[in-house]
């Protein structure tokens, strides 16, 4: 699952920066997952592993490891590149942690208070990993262009997550928040909000449409940035 070139397309300095950024992402990902798993063991539940942020960070970790291996290989003059499959996986997960990171850093923390930052795993997953992943993706990616169809392919990710949650809730009777909620997030709780809304609730269906639209918008912003800033510096694999 690699592609090759006969000549280098990045400088050694760019590759070194890429390697350092990816190592930071991987280290803090492992710290976050270690703390999450430990907490799950001590609380006799792994329910945290059903959350969108956690799953997205798993995909970020997998794809970053793949790109780290290829970056190290190129640094030592073996011109191989991780497959576009890993690029798409990373792109989807990056959109996800960008959204959840923004919500956590700029909406939830100011409202709920600085106490949210007292949890190191939350800081890893919502602050450190998203920040360095965005920088790494935008600065050191000199290979893959974000295509128009990639924007639509990225929507498969939230659709799959939604289906996954509904299967857990409907099919396996999984409950969150000590058995109170029918979904890991309030806006997905079809029992409390209904599908099409009641009273002050707008309904899970409409929330899902809104979130998919936000997902697409963020994907487009990444594509726009790449087009405007890095258009002349991309060496594209099809």
């Amino acid at each position: 699952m690699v592609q090759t070139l006969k000549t280098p397309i990045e400088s050694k300095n760019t590759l070194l920066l890429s390697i350092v950024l990816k190592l930071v992402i991987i280290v803090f990902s492992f710290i976050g997952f270690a703390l999450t798993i430990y907490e799950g063991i001590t609380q006799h539940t792994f329910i945290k592993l059903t959350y969108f942020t956690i799953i997205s960070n798993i995909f970020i970790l997998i794809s970053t490891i793949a790109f780290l291996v290829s970056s190290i290989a190129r640094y030592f003059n073996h011109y191989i590149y991780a497959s576009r499959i890993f690029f798409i996986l990373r792109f989807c997960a990056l959109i996800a942690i960008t959204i959840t990171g923004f919500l956590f850093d700029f909406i939830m923390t100011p409202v709920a208070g600085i106490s949210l930052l007292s949890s190191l795993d939350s800081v890893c997953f919502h602050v450190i990993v998203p920040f360095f992943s965005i920088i790494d993706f935008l600065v050191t990616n000199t290979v893959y262009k974000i295509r128009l169809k990639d924007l639509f392919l990225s929507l498969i990710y939230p659709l799959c997550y939604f289906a996954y949650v509904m299967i857990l809730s409907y099919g396996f009777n999984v409950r969150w928040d000590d058995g109170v909620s029918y979904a890991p997030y309030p806006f997905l709780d079809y029992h409390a909000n209904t599908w099409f809304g009641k009273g002050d609730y707008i309904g899970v269906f409409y929330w899902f449409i809104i979130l998919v639209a936000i997902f697409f918008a963020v994907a487009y912003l990444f594509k726009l940035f790449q087009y405007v800033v890095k258009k002349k510096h991309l060496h594209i694999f099809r």
Side-chain angles (χ1 to χ4, degrees), residues 13-231:
N13 288 338
T14 299
L15 282 170
L16 186 59
L17 176 61
S18 173
I19 291 168
V20 170
L21 288 171
K22 288 174 176 61
L23 285 173
V24 171
I25 294 165
I26 290 168
V27 167
F28 281 99
S29 291
F30 274 117
I31 291 173
F33 285 121
L35 292 171
T36 298
I37 293 171
Y38 174 75
E39 184 176 333
I41 292 172
T42 57
Q43 294 180 354
H44 306 290
T45 176
F46 285 91
I47 201 69
K48 273 194 170 186
L49 297 177
T50 65
Y51 283 87
F52 191 59
T53 301
I54 303 297
I55 295 171
S56 300
N57 274 273
I58 290 173
F59 290 141
I60 282 288
L61 177 60
I62 292 170
S63 57
T64 301
I65 290 172
F67 278 99
L68 174 65
V69 171
S70 65
S71 293
I72 292 173
R74 293 199 304 280
Y75 189 81
F76 291 103
N77 302 319
H78 301 286
Y79 304 121
I80 64 173
Y81 299 85
S83 167
R84 177 172 275 277
I85 293 172
F86 288 112
F87 175 77
I88 297 297
L89 179 64
R90 194 177 193 209
F91 182 51
C92 292
L94 181 67
I95 298 166
I97 65 172
T98 298
I99 294 171
T100 56
F102 179 86
L103 292 174
F104 182 88
D105 298 336
F106 298 105
I107 297 178
M108 293 174 61
T109 299
V111 172
I114 201 71
S115 60
L116 281 180
L117 298 176
S118 62
S119 174
L120 182 56
D121 57 339
S122 287
V123 173
C124 288
F125 291 144
H126 294 99
V127 182
I128 300 173
V129 172
F131 176 78
F132 284 100
S133 294
I134 292 170
I135 298 299
D136 184 39
F137 187 87
L138 295 179
V139 173
T140 69
N141 170 43
T142 58
V143 179
Y144 291 111
K145 177 183 178 182
I146 301 171
R147 304 167 300 186
L148 180 61
K149 69 178 181 179
D150 294 336
L151 304 186
F152 294 96
L153 282 174
S154 70
L155 300 182
I156 295 174
Y157 183 63
L159 288 170
C160 288
Y161 178 75
F162 182 75
Y164 167 65
V165 169
M166 292 301 109
I167 289 171
L168 289 178
S169 186
Y170 269 115
F172 295 93
N173 203 35
V174 175
R175 298 293 178 261
W176 290 261
D177 294 334
D178 297 322
V180 174
S181 178
Y182 282 62
Y185 301 100
F187 51 82
L188 293 180
D189 190 340
Y190 55 88
H191 186 263
N193 299 331
T194 75
W195 285 101
F196 296 99
K198 65 176 183 179
D200 295 330
Y201 299 109
I202 68 171
V204 171
F205 175 79
Y206 300 113
W207 265 119
F208 182 69
I209 296 299
I210 291 169
L211 293 171
V212 168
I214 293 172
F215 206 89
F216 186 86
V218 173
Y220 181 79
L221 287 175
F222 277 117
K223 177 175 173 56
L224 183 63
F225 178 93
Q226 188 184 68
Y227 177 80
V228 171
V229 177
K230 304 196 72 175
K231 180 170 127 179

